[in-house]
Amino acid sequence: MQQAKSRRDPTLVVIGRGTCGTIFEIPGTESAYKKGRDKDSLWNDANLTNTACRAVTETKTCLQGIFPNTSIPRVPIVTGWISENDLQNWWRENLSQFPDDTEIGYLFQVQRILPLPKPSREALIRPYFPKEIHHSAYEDPDNKACLVRPYLGQRRREWEFSRPALSLQNFPLYLDQIEELELEVEAIQFAEEMAIGLATIHWKACLDGMDMEFVLGSAATNGELPTVVENFKTVAPFDIPAGDVERRQVHLWMLDFDKAEQLCLKKSWKSCCDKMVTAVTANDPYFPNPAAMGTLEQKLWDTFERAYLLAASNILLIQKELPKKAIEYPALFLKAWKKRATE
């Protein structure tokens, strides 16, 4: 693998932390590094993120024709993996660009999900941050890396009310907050987009989606999904062009596939279905809850169910390698999900 050239840019900035790794923004670009200590988890994330990105890219034209007024969820493209043979030299050349407390680890380069614009950030700080820290929250550079997790399947409980927000990084937006902000129409759109995204992950990427995330973020308005890199493990990291970052659009993104697994849909459907149901019910409450009784909750689930079945059936029409009875699987999955939700 060709050596990644030494960077002389400003110090890299932490814009996110998770169980799998830490995300570092590469200033002036639409790229980021994801670094972690667990090689297997990080590799699984990079590899299956690439699989998911390919699935979205290959089905976009078909799905956009079926859902002409809907934004198809995106997956950040992985652009490079630092191989074991290159790792020591790479860190020797680049460690100085990371924050002082950075430990050497494994990493890959990935398209950065751009943060939500300033008006959106301020609209979240005003009602949900303690008043005494409003000014510092507006000025805090860490809050510029604002991505929102839309939790369509849950309202805040006593635990969430007792712990006010202190950061905009991976900000959880619950259903009652969506109502307070008068975003019910947008929530219906998010439900449809999540359904399309999950159907793509299940029936094109053939992944169970375990612990995957949905976030609202921005993207440069270049009008196209990125080209997926073939055999990215052998490609040196490179920067995605910055794009027109001043003209950004808000998108729903799917990410974090480190705990996901491939589905063997040609073999045991029951095993696959169990994995898929566990993945949607054990995750954070992104998806509408099929067992919830509220008016908005039922609208969200009805929208999600219709969109999921429509997207899945059309994806399966072009999945010639799957058994013919696979056309029945999406409805069976939703039936099992509903049953699990009421248990």
Side-chain angles (χ1 to χ4, degrees):
M1 173 175 155
Q2 180 183 348
Q3 291 290 328
K5 64 180 181 179
S6 177
R7 303 190 61 83
R8 293 293 179 262
D9 294 335
T11 301
L12 304 178
V13 178
V14 175
I15 57 172
R17 300 181 189 274
T19 56
C20 179
T22 302
I23 309 295
F24 298 87
E25 172 192 0
I26 304 175
T29 76
E30 282 190 59
S31 291
Y33 292 125
K34 187 166 188 177
K35 182 193 74 70
R37 288 183 289 183
D38 187 329
K39 178 185 176 182
D40 291 339
S41 291
L42 203 67
W43 167 249
N44 200 54
D45 190 12
N47 185 39
L48 296 188
T49 296
N50 197 52
T51 298
C53 186
R54 183 187 307 280
V56 169
T57 302
E58 293 178 352
T59 56
K60 180 176 184 292
T61 300
C62 167
L63 292 175
Q64 201 68 81
I66 300 165
F67 300 94
N69 299 314
T70 302
S71 175
I72 305 301
R74 298 186 175 201
V75 176
I77 181 172
V78 173
T79 54
W81 170 269
I82 310 298
S83 72
E84 195 116 40
N85 293 335
D86 296 320
L87 201 59
Q88 189 173 4
N89 288 338
W90 193 93
W91 276 111
R92 187 182 300 116
E93 294 180 1
N94 293 278
L95 181 60
S96 63
Q97 301 302 311
F98 286 77
D100 291 340
D101 61 348
T102 300
E103 297 180 6
I104 291 175
Y106 299 96
L107 77 165
F108 62 88
Q109 186 165 325
V110 64
Q111 179 187 12
R112 180 167 70 99
I113 303 173
L114 298 177
L116 292 176
K118 185 177 180 181
S120 298
R121 303 197 296 267
E122 293 177 346
L124 293 173
I125 290 173
R126 281 194 298 271
Y128 300 123
F129 279 55
K131 289 184 179 180
E132 60 270 20
I133 68 167
H134 276 191
H135 179 72
S136 60
Y138 290 140
E139 301 300 323
D140 187 348
D142 288 347
N143 282 333
K144 291 183 178 179
C146 172
L147 300 178
V148 167
R149 298 179 178 186
Y151 286 170
L152 303 185
Q154 186 175 308
R155 296 172 181 270
R156 283 177 297 173
R157 300 158 299 185
E158 183 179 350
W159 191 93
E160 286 83 21
F161 277 109
S162 66
R163 291 163 175 80
L166 300 175
S167 172
L168 286 180
Q169 292 188 4
N170 289 323
F171 185 89
L173 190 67
Y174 291 86
L175 194 55
D176 61 292
Q177 294 172 303
I178 287 173
E179 287 181 325
E180 289 175 353
L181 296 171
E182 299 182 345
L183 296 175
E184 292 92 340
V185 173
E186 287 81 0
I188 297 293
Q189 295 173 347
F190 299 156
E192 186 173 58
E193 292 172 21
M194 282 185 189
I196 295 168
L198 187 64
T200 304
I201 295 303
H202 283 163
W203 309 110
K204 181 61 179 179
C206 296
L207 301 177
D208 62 9
M210 176 63 75
D211 212 35
M212 64 183 284
E213 295 185 14
F214 288 85
V215 299
L216 292 169
S218 300
T221 56
N222 55 19
E224 294 294 335
L225 288 173
T227 301
V228 177
V229 178
E230 296 285 349
N231 300 319
F232 71 90
K233 190 176 181 181
T234 65
V235 178
F238 55 90
D239 291 341
I240 297 173
D244 187 356
V245 296
E246 297 302 319
R247 295 177 59 243
R248 297 183 297 183
Q249 295 176 336
V250 174
H251 291 280
L252 189 67
W253 294 77
M254 303 182 289
L255 66 155
D256 284 0
F257 295 92
D258 55 291
K259 295 182 178 64
E261 295 183 1
Q262 294 278 176
L263 295 170
C264 297
L265 293 166
K266 294 180 181 179
K267 297 181 180 179
S268 171
W269 162 242
K270 184 180 184 306
S271 173
C272 290
C273 187
D274 287 344
K275 286 183 177 181
M276 293 159 65
V277 172
T278 298
V280 294
T281 54
N283 199 351
D284 289 342
Y286 299 104
F287 306 113
N289 181 355
M293 301 302 293
T295 301
L296 179 57
E297 283 89 339
Q298 291 182 339
K299 285 182 179 179
L300 291 171
W301 175 257
D302 289 345
T303 298
F304 181 94
E305 184 175 39
R306 283 195 301 269
Y308 181 88
L309 290 173
L310 183 58
S313 63
N314 280 275
I315 291 171
L316 285 169
L317 288 176
I318 57 176
Q319 292 288 81
K320 303 300 183 183
E321 67 276 12
L322 295 180
K324 289 184 178 180
K325 62 181 179 180
I327 198 70
E328 302 172 6
Y329 292 167
L332 293 174
F333 158 66
L334 292 180
K335 181 179 179 180
W337 182 354
K338 293 177 187 177
K339 183 174 184 294
R340 181 82 62 88
T342 58
E343 292 176 350

